[in-house]
Amino acid sequence: MPSGIAGAAGTWVLGTFAAYLLVLLGIGLYSSQLMDTVDDYVIGGREVGPVVTGFSERASEMSGWLTLGVPGDAYNTGVMAFYNGLGMIPADLFAWAGMAKRLRKYSEIVRAVTLPTFFATRLQDDTGLVKGISAVLLMLFEGGYVGAQIVAAGTLLQVLTGVSPLVGILAGGVIVVGYTMLGGYFAVAWSDYFQGAIILAAFILLPVLAFTTYGLPFDDLAAMGGGLSSVTAGMTGWAAVFGIISYAAIGLGIPGNPHVMVRFMGIDEVENIRLAAVVAQLFMFVAYIGAGFVGLYGLVVFGGGISNTDNVMPMLTLDLFPGWLAGIILAAALAAMMSSADSQLLVATSAVVEDVYHGFVDPDASDETLVRYSQLVTLALGASSIVFAYVAKDTPIYTLVLDYAWGGLGAAIGPTLIAALWWKRVTATGSAASMIVGAGTMILWTQLSTVLGALGLGGLTEGSGFVANFLGVYGLFPAFILSVLVLVVVSLLTQPPEGVDEHFDVFDKPLAAVVEEDTPEYATDGGRDYAPKAVTETDTIRAHVDAADYWEE
């Protein structure tokens, strides 16, 4: 019998989780039939619809950070935790409004299914420097991201049911690797949709049910004191300023995280981006508000007696719902962590196969070879991530994700991607320097107190003045700024690529309008037919009928 905090409900958690994982494997098996090319494996052949894309974009990013981290942060800081959405919501809105359509069009025009390949083509980098650096950074940070999510899933399973961390890590890791390897992007997108829908429902039901039982939590928080009802958690001066900046700076990571950006590249039609954006924004707003209230109600229900704040969400779930329903919700929370892991695993795989192997080793490799290698690399990277997860199982998930994975990708990749879509003057040299500075600054900032202590400057991080609070700000804030400055300065000092004006004209027109017979390298809005003509729904149906040999039969 399980002996974790779930008690008797632990049996429901284990049973529901097992059934849930079988569903995910089924999705992977079904999706494996839809893969013909490496485009299908990496971005779903640009055939994923807007609703699934919108859900998948959010589910791929939120993971254990939303399901466990945000409620835990609200439990620690009170009302100020609602600032978790301060940077994320407007940053994601900017990404959909200012980047999605451009990236979807431009990546198809240059026939790129990964960001490193897109950078190399857009910046006309024949040396392979930008592609090589960005691919290495993706493998490094996304690989750690995968391990962090598996750690979170294994830890939660242990807390809930009492099983050993190794069992949880192996169970979650094997399933994630299995359905990602089998089905590629199709499996990842549909599993994210499935998981995201359950998590969204949970973060609606939990606060509503808590409200009907306990009323609004704000009077109770004020009575507890400690700044829990304050929008600055009781902080004043520079501490409050840099505390708010730290929350807002989290949003700077969105443009640089490829598992989010690849959703823009994989949507079926450019015109569907608006609907996908609405779905994603509604998901994000409701989920962040709901997760914050879960943490506040945790304070009302349990007081200050929870030592491990990651347990707030599962404990409130167990308190408010019957065992069988709590089992479904908590199994979905576990799966939400895996929904990020599968997306990040797919991005890391594409960096190895498409950007390194196909880009440098065998440019003429067939689609069959690339798909087979993608599956093998997914298996190898997944196994490595499982090992990493077990080694790092005692490291806080919040640290692994925000400091090293999310922040590193945001500072290194984000400025170059934004510039590539909006600034004609950006150069390959500037991008390479920006990536190195951004990643290096982010890593250094996480170890800043140790570095300053070794230099005899440890006193700078103490006290309440401007310098001390600035040095304690979330590292993505200074890393992103430095990365942008280096990108601009170096690009202005180096030779820009040629012919970019023609490509930028595409952003203001439908793809069909720029496709001409004398430019056969341009793709169409359909994503799979590269003939120089517009592809309509009727054309697509005819193509499927022809491929099926229907009339011959």
Side-chain angles (χ1 to χ4, degrees):
M1 179 65 65
S3 59
I5 64 171
T11 302
W12 282 104
V13 174
L14 285 175
T16 307
F17 191 49
Y20 190 88
L21 295 180
L22 289 177
V23 171
L24 293 182
L25 281 179
I27 291 174
L29 287 170
Y30 174 76
S31 300
S32 66
Q33 304 174 31
L34 305 177
M35 292 191 305
D36 299 318
T37 69
V38 71
D39 296 40
D40 296 335
Y41 193 85
V42 176
I43 59 172
R46 304 188 202 271
E47 289 189 328
V48 180
V51 176
V52 174
T53 298
F55 265 89
S56 181
E57 189 261 350
R58 287 292 83 228
S60 69
E61 174 266 317
M62 288 181 170
S63 68
W65 186 72
L66 173 78
T67 54
L68 301 183
V70 174
D73 186 48
Y75 185 85
N76 278 327
T77 63
V79 173
M80 191 178 185
F82 285 110
Y83 284 143
N84 275 294
L86 178 64
M88 293 296 291
I89 292 176
D92 193 60
L93 181 60
F94 162 75
W96 279 105
M99 299 177 66
K101 185 177 291 187
R102 289 173 174 251
L103 183 58
R104 172 62 177 83
K105 288 182 178 181
Y106 212 155
S107 63
E108 186 169 353
I109 288 169
V110 299
R111 298 190 188 179
V113 297
T114 67
L115 288 185
T117 299
F118 169 71
F119 290 150
T121 309
R122 159 67 179 86
L123 301 173
Q124 300 177 18
D125 179 29
D126 298 328
T127 67
L129 182 64
V130 173
K131 178 186 280 191
I133 292 175
S134 56
V136 168
L137 291 174
L138 291 191
M139 286 185 283
L140 175 66
F141 290 119
E142 294 284 19
Y145 222 142
V146 175
Q149 300 304 331
I150 296 175
V151 167
T155 300
L156 181 57
L157 197 59
Q158 177 199 19
V159 169
L160 291 173
T161 66
V163 301
S164 70
L166 179 60
V167 172
I169 288 171
L170 287 176
V174 168
I175 297 299
V176 169
V177 174
Y179 71 76
T180 305
M181 182 182 70
L182 288 171
Y185 186 86
F186 285 113
V188 167
W190 277 99
S191 63
D192 285 352
Y193 174 63
F194 186 41
Q195 292 155 178
I198 297 177
I199 286 298
L200 183 61
F203 280 120
I204 294 174
L205 290 175
L206 275 170
V208 169
L209 189 55
F211 170 74
T212 60
T213 305
Y214 302 102
L216 288 173
F218 302 113
D219 289 339
D220 294 301
L221 297 178
M224 292 179 186
L228 293 175
S229 60
S230 167
V231 293
T232 61
M235 296 184 295
T236 59
W238 288 115
V241 171
F242 285 112
I244 295 174
I245 288 175
S246 291
Y247 276 115
I250 295 174
L252 295 175
I254 283 183
N257 275 261
H259 53 275
V260 177
M261 294 295 104
V262 75
R263 266 65 190 168
F264 303 156
M265 299 166 67
I267 195 168
D268 56 356
E269 301 285 345
V270 174
E271 64 185 15
N272 286 335
I273 286 176
R274 180 173 298 179
L275 175 57
V278 171
V279 171
Q281 287 299 301
L282 288 175
F283 186 143
M284 172 176 268
F285 182 80
V286 173
Y288 270 100
I289 297 297
F293 271 109
V294 166
L296 299 187
Y297 278 115
L299 280 166
V300 173
V301 177
F302 305 111
I306 300 178
S307 57
N308 184 354
T309 57
D310 286 344
N311 296 341
V312 172
M313 183 270 190
M315 288 181 67
L316 189 65
T317 302
L318 293 165
D319 183 77
L320 296 176
F321 290 103
W324 66 272
L325 186 54
I328 294 175
I329 293 173
L330 294 174
L334 286 163
M337 300 166 195
M338 297 192 305
S339 73
S340 285
D342 58 23
S343 302
Q344 293 139 12
L345 181 59
L346 194 61
V347 169
T349 294
S350 67
V352 175
V353 177
E354 182 64 19
D355 300 316
V356 177
Y357 177 78
H358 195 199
F360 295 106
V361 179
D362 187 4
D364 299 322
S366 66
D367 282 318
E368 292 79 4
T369 299
L370 293 175
V371 169
R372 184 172 67 254
Y373 282 180
S374 294
Q375 292 173 325
L376 292 175
V377 170
T378 298
L379 180 61
L381 288 176
S384 300
S385 296
I386 292 173
V387 173
F388 170 79
Y390 184 73
V391 172
K393 63 182 184 297
D394 296 325
T395 303
I397 179 67
Y398 204 80
T399 300
L400 286 174
V401 171
L402 283 187
D403 284 354
Y404 295 103
W406 179 264
L409 289 167
I413 305 297
T416 288
L417 182 56
I418 295 172
L421 296 174
W422 284 94
W423 190 31
K424 300 176 184 179
R425 189 65 177 73
V426 64
T427 68
T429 305
S431 297
S434 170
M435 291 177 185
I436 294 172
V437 170
T441 303
M442 188 66 214
I443 294 173
L444 177 64
W445 206 267
T446 62
Q447 306 296 326
L448 193 59
S449 59
T450 302
V451 173
L452 292 176
L455 297 174
L457 301 174
L460 292 176
T461 59
E462 301 174 359
S464 59
F466 173 85
V467 175
N469 285 287
F470 172 73
L471 295 177
V473 77
Y474 177 40
L476 182 52
F477 176 62
F480 193 92
I481 292 175
L482 285 177
S483 183
V484 169
L485 289 176
V486 170
L487 177 70
V488 172
V489 171
V490 177
S491 292
L492 291 176
L493 295 175
T494 51
Q495 184 67 31
E498 299 177 355
V500 180
D501 288 339
E502 296 179 6
H503 288 178
F504 268 59
D505 288 341
V506 173
F507 297 149
D508 299 320
K509 303 176 183 178
L511 279 176
V514 298
V515 174
E516 301 174 359
E517 292 185 1
D518 60 346
T519 56
E521 73 275 10
Y522 281 178
T524 63
D525 198 22
R528 294 177 62 89
D529 185 347
Y530 292 121
K533 66 180 184 64
V535 175
T536 65
E537 287 298 318
T538 303
D539 294 326
T540 302
I541 293 171
R542 288 170 179 163
H544 282 301
V545 171
D546 291 338
D549 295 327
Y550 177 83
W551 298 116
E552 284 74 10
E553 294 178 3

